[in-house]
Amino acid sequence: TTLLDEAEFYISMIKYYNDDISGLSEYINQNNNIDYKKKALSLLKSYYRGKSDLNNELNIHARSLLMFPNDPNILNSYAWRMSELEMNLEDAISKIDKAIVLSVNDQKKQANILDTKAEVLWKLGKNDEAVKAIEIAIQLNPENDYFIEQKNKFSSKE
């Protein structure tokens, strides 16, 4: 079924690139390949975001969280998007805290997730907590210059 899953996914991708998302929705409903389902969900989020269709984008985020409640990437993606939209920030913090725990065995991933947490905290006006979170990210991944920029942003009292 792996080749069949792959073929069906790529057929749905062809439709997607022709501005038809029906194939992705069908794929998610009818196939069991987790990796392709996650890709299809991600493409649908991008599609609706590109169309400025916030309701459908949020529905796909909710569906992703229901289907993959323990996937740190999906939890992080949701929290980052909520920080961009400046909505559901408290929910974003709870999702991101779960993602931090789930990513304990991958320092770079955990550092990126901590960056998201810091961004959400900053949006909530919790600058000191944001600085603490980004400092942990810097400890986990000291080569990441972006984290230093983030710390400077969170530290400045705008």
Side-chain angles (χ1 to χ4, degrees):
T1 56
T2 311
L3 274 176
L4 185 58
D5 278 344
E6 192 173 355
E8 289 176 353
F9 179 74
Y10 285 108
I11 289 168
S12 72
M13 290 283 297
I14 292 167
K15 288 182 181 178
Y16 169 78
Y17 288 118
N18 287 305
D19 209 32
D20 175 0
I21 57 168
S22 64
L24 292 173
S25 298
E26 286 172 27
Y27 187 90
I28 293 164
N29 292 333
Q30 297 173 3
N31 295 74
N32 292 320
N33 183 302
I34 290 170
D35 291 333
Y36 286 133
K37 274 190 181 201
K38 289 177 184 177
K39 285 180 186 175
L41 288 162
S42 180
L43 287 167
L44 285 174
K45 288 177 216 167
S46 296
Y47 175 83
Y48 288 124
R49 184 177 179 174
K51 300 279 185 197
S52 299
D53 185 342
L54 188 57
N55 282 339
N56 276 315
E57 181 189 349
L58 293 174
N59 285 338
I60 299 299
H61 275 288
R63 190 168 179 198
S64 298
L65 291 166
L66 281 172
M67 291 174 78
F68 303 105
N70 296 316
D71 184 305
N73 295 323
I74 287 176
L75 293 163
N76 188 51
S77 169
Y78 166 78
W80 186 262
R81 185 63 177 134
M82 293 305 104
S83 79
E84 291 177 330
L85 295 169
E86 298 189 21
M87 42 186 312
N88 303 327
L89 295 176
E90 295 295 340
D91 185 48
I93 289 288
S94 71
K95 302 284 192 287
I96 212 67
D97 284 341
K98 184 176 182 180
I100 290 167
V101 172
L102 291 167
S103 63
V104 71
N105 294 323
D106 184 338
Q107 281 193 328
K108 285 196 172 171
K109 181 183 286 186
Q110 193 174 50
N112 289 330
I113 292 168
L114 280 157
D115 170 56
T116 300
K117 180 174 184 172
E119 185 75 20
V120 174
L121 288 166
W122 183 67
K123 293 284 174 107
L124 285 166
K126 299 178 179 182
N127 294 36
D128 293 342
E129 289 180 54
V131 169
K132 286 177 189 163
I134 202 67
E135 285 176 343
I136 298 168
I138 291 167
Q139 288 172 4
L140 292 172
N141 188 0
E143 302 88 43
N144 191 321
D145 293 335
Y146 174 72
F147 294 160
I148 305 294
E149 294 171 25
Q150 287 287 83
K151 182 179 177 183
N152 292 335
K153 178 174 91 173
F154 303 145
S155 298
S156 67
K157 304 289 183 205
E158 293 176 25

